[in-house]
Amino acid sequence: MKNMASFDRLLRAFLFAPIFIVLAFVVGAGTVLGIIFFVLAAVMLATSVVSFCPLYRLVGVSTCKTGHRGGMAA
């Protein structure tokens, strides 16, 4: 079930993920904070690819016009 619109996916893939990657290198790629930033970047990319954000579903949000809120996709 999709719950992310194209604009939301593009922001995650081309804005937030690169920012997190740059921040990881700035603070140190091997540091705890750097690893956290890499994980956040991976989550942004993964959710962008599958068009689904588990946190959105948890709070009942959908940025996708064709998304179904709270139900199963047909």
Side-chain angles (χ1 to χ4, degrees):
M1 172 173 76
K2 294 181 180 183
N3 65 0
M4 292 174 53
S6 296
F7 182 72
D8 193 6
R9 294 173 59 208
L10 289 172
L11 279 178
R12 288 172 183 248
F14 295 106
L15 182 67
F16 293 116
I19 287 172
F20 286 137
I21 292 169
V22 169
L23 287 172
F25 283 113
V26 168
V27 300
T31 65
V32 172
L33 190 56
I35 292 169
I36 290 170
F37 282 136
F38 280 131
V39 169
L40 288 173
V43 168
M44 291 292 116
L45 290 172
T47 57
S48 177
V49 168
V50 298
S51 302
F52 179 77
C53 178
L55 184 59
Y56 280 9
R57 182 164 187 192
L58 183 67
V59 296
V61 172
S62 177
T63 60
C64 185
K65 291 180 182 177
T66 61
H68 303 281
R69 293 178 57 171
M72 296 296 292

